[in-house]
Amino acid sequence: MKKHIRSILSLVLALSMALALAACGSGSSSSSGSGDSSTDGSSASSGSDDKVYTLIVTNHDSSTSVGEQYVETLLNQISEESGGRLQFSYNPGGSLYGGGEAVEAVRSGAADICWNATSITVGVFPISEFINVPLNGITCAQMGSKVFQDMMAEIPECAAEFDDFYVIAAHDCSVGILSTVNKKIETVDDLQGLNIRSAGTVQSNYINMIGCSASSMATSEVYEALSKNVVEGMTNDWHNIDCFNLYEVVNYIMDYPINSTSCFMLMNKDTYESLPEDLQAIFDKYQTYASDMAGYYWDCMRFITGEKAEELGVEIYEPSEEVYDYLTQDEFQEEMAEWFVEYLDGYGYDGQAIYDQCMEIVARYADEYTDPYATEMALEDWDMDSVNNY
């Protein structure tokens, strides 16, 4: 009898140890970089479970930047809505992957989520680079975000660029402006021959077109280049000027929107498909909201960065009528359009047809965003409880 009891106790103990080991092996938290975060190792389970899914997020922007604030604010709300079953491990400042590595890291599953921009991934998402083309009619990040979302919905070739990913948000960045160290641009002649830092091929083409000399370099190198007079000015958007403290090394900012940049928050496709359907549904619910929210966040930087710059004595000014007419002339617009069409043709697309469709999308928002900065904006004004209206 005692032997029989000992056998039962041994069986119970062995079973308890097995369950404990299983719990340690699978964990209450799972990093799904390899796309295996579902409870049964297969694609999404139809119901819900109590498992906590921890996703690895990489961002090249600094921890204090609007880029990281946006990412963490959005994903923290998604985590809250999931009841804590979705958790996110944040790695800002390129601490995990740099800007040039992040998209491929997410594609391969080395990371689960990244925030990035087409100015960094030139040629990877060429149709999406339409947002970056100067003189395309986009006046602010909110407008550009609407245009980008419609491009994804209405141009199959644009959506296909992201087939390897789940797109959490497709949005626009704050507009790029021309900032200079020692020379205020008051006439067309003031532009001629200036050595200006630019980002990406499309922006460099425009800078050369207006009579400056474009020097392409990463934003992380611009502060030193400006402070040592390697370049005389830069094109950079409001959020990057803040992120890298570039208002410390310029004296003039011409408040004219040269161009903006299409951006995105991407998730590894296997990671998304391995989540239970109810958690997938939360991400689905936030897609449009996340893109619109990003547009608002980046437009806010016009005021946040502008205030910091003015406190340091930087003069922010609008271009004279002469300079404005020169920068926006039809000839330049036509040349930029021709360049982009040829650029897409080089990837095997019908560049003209895609460009025309993109411009039709821009036109539908033109009246709504003729004066996008008429009212000052602040990050805290975005209604984080309004997602259900989307």
Side-chain angles (χ1 to χ4, degrees):
M1 183 69 174
K2 290 181 179 179
K3 183 177 180 181
H4 181 61
I5 292 173
R6 282 198 301 270
S7 298
I8 293 174
L9 290 173
S10 298
L11 181 62
V12 171
L13 180 61
L15 181 59
S16 299
M17 291 178 67
L19 289 171
L21 288 171
C24 291
S26 62
S28 61
S29 172
S30 157
S31 170
S32 58
S34 59
D36 60 354
S37 64
S38 64
T39 54
D40 59 2
S42 63
S43 57
S45 57
S46 58
S48 62
D49 55 56
D50 295 328
K51 185 175 180 179
V52 174
Y53 298 81
T54 301
L55 308 187
I56 298 171
V57 184
T58 181
N59 189 358
H60 62 280
D61 263 13
S62 68
S63 59
T64 58
S65 68
V66 69
E68 184 64 14
Q69 288 182 58
Y70 163 73
V71 169
E72 293 192 19
T73 302
L74 175 68
L75 295 183
N76 286 346
Q77 183 163 345
I78 288 174
S79 176
E80 182 179 344
E81 182 152 341
S82 74
R85 290 165 55 222
L86 284 168
Q87 296 290 323
F88 301 96
S89 173
Y90 300 111
N91 300 273
S95 58
L96 190 60
Y97 294 103
E101 307 166 312
V103 168
E104 291 308 313
V106 171
R107 191 195 304 270
S108 69
D112 295 302
I113 294 172
C114 74
W115 178 81
N116 215 292
T118 54
S119 59
I120 298 172
T121 58
V122 174
V124 179
F125 312 101
I127 296 174
S128 304
E129 292 179 49
F130 166 79
I131 302 292
N132 309 12
V133 178
L135 305 178
N136 63 9
I138 295 173
T139 60
C140 65
Q142 292 173 93
M143 180 181 181
S145 297
K146 294 288 189 184
V147 171
F148 195 8
Q149 291 175 72
D150 286 1
M151 287 170 57
M152 293 280 284
E154 299 172 25
I155 304 175
E157 297 92 338
C158 184
E161 293 184 330
F162 297 91
D163 276 350
D164 292 343
F165 306 93
Y166 175 82
V167 180
I168 299 174
H171 70 91
D172 193 4
C173 197
S174 51
V175 295
I177 60 273
L178 179 60
S179 306
T180 48
V181 179
N182 295 315
K183 180 183 283 190
K184 181 179 179 181
I185 309 302
E186 298 181 283
T187 68
V188 172
D189 287 342
D190 291 334
L191 286 165
Q192 306 311 304
L194 278 180
N195 188 6
I196 299 296
R197 176 269 176 186
S198 65
T201 308
V202 62
Q203 192 181 92
S204 295
N205 272 274
Y206 179 72
I207 293 302
N208 289 327
M209 193 180 298
I210 64 176
C212 299
S213 177
S215 296
S216 184
M217 68 179 67
T219 305
S220 58
E221 301 170 7
V222 175
Y223 191 106
E224 184 176 6
L226 288 168
S227 62
K228 294 183 176 180
N229 294 315
V230 174
V231 291
E232 298 168 275
M234 64 173 177
T235 56
N236 235 317
D237 72 286
W238 292 105
H239 116 269
N240 264 341
I241 292 174
D242 180 65
C243 185
F244 291 89
N245 299 321
L246 297 175
Y247 33 55
E248 295 177 353
V249 285
V250 298
N251 291 303
Y252 302 101
I253 295 177
M254 185 168 66
D255 194 3
Y256 159 73
I258 290 177
N259 74 317
S260 54
T261 302
S262 46
C263 302
F264 38 75
M265 197 189 308
L266 304 178
M267 185 190 299
N268 176 274
K269 198 168 187 178
D270 289 338
T271 296
Y272 171 78
E273 292 178 349
S274 69
L275 294 173
E277 288 181 359
D278 63 320
L279 296 185
Q280 289 182 5
I282 297 176
F283 281 107
D284 296 347
K285 171 183 173 182
Y286 273 81
Q287 275 185 313
T288 300
Y289 173 85
S291 301
D292 287 351
M293 172 189 171
Y296 185 91
Y297 261 50
W298 265 266
D299 278 342
C300 288
M301 298 311 295
R302 163 63 186 85
F303 302 101
I304 295 170
T305 305
E307 183 176 325
K308 292 179 180 179
E310 288 176 332
E311 286 175 356
L312 292 173
V314 177
E315 181 181 348
I316 301 174
Y317 64 99
E318 294 184 0
S320 66
E321 185 176 351
E322 173 198 352
V323 172
Y324 179 83
D325 289 345
Y326 174 75
L327 293 174
T328 59
Q329 62 184 281
D330 292 342
E331 182 181 345
F332 289 164
Q333 183 180 21
E334 291 167 5
E335 288 188 39
M336 290 311 309
E338 288 174 7
W339 179 89
F340 187 66
V341 167
E342 291 178 4
Y343 179 63
L344 293 187
D345 287 345
Y347 286 92
Y349 296 117
D350 184 342
Q352 188 64 58
I354 291 174
Y355 177 80
D356 290 344
Q357 194 168 357
C358 290
M359 290 301 289
E360 288 175 9
I361 293 171
V362 170
R364 73 179 59 144
Y365 295 106
D367 291 342
E368 186 177 350
Y369 294 101
T370 54
D371 193 6
Y373 300 114
T375 304
E376 187 160 340
M377 307 157 70
L379 294 181
E380 59 267 21
D381 289 343
W382 182 257
D383 182 6
M384 291 301 296
D385 296 321
S386 67
V387 67
N388 288 322
N389 295 328
Y390 282 71

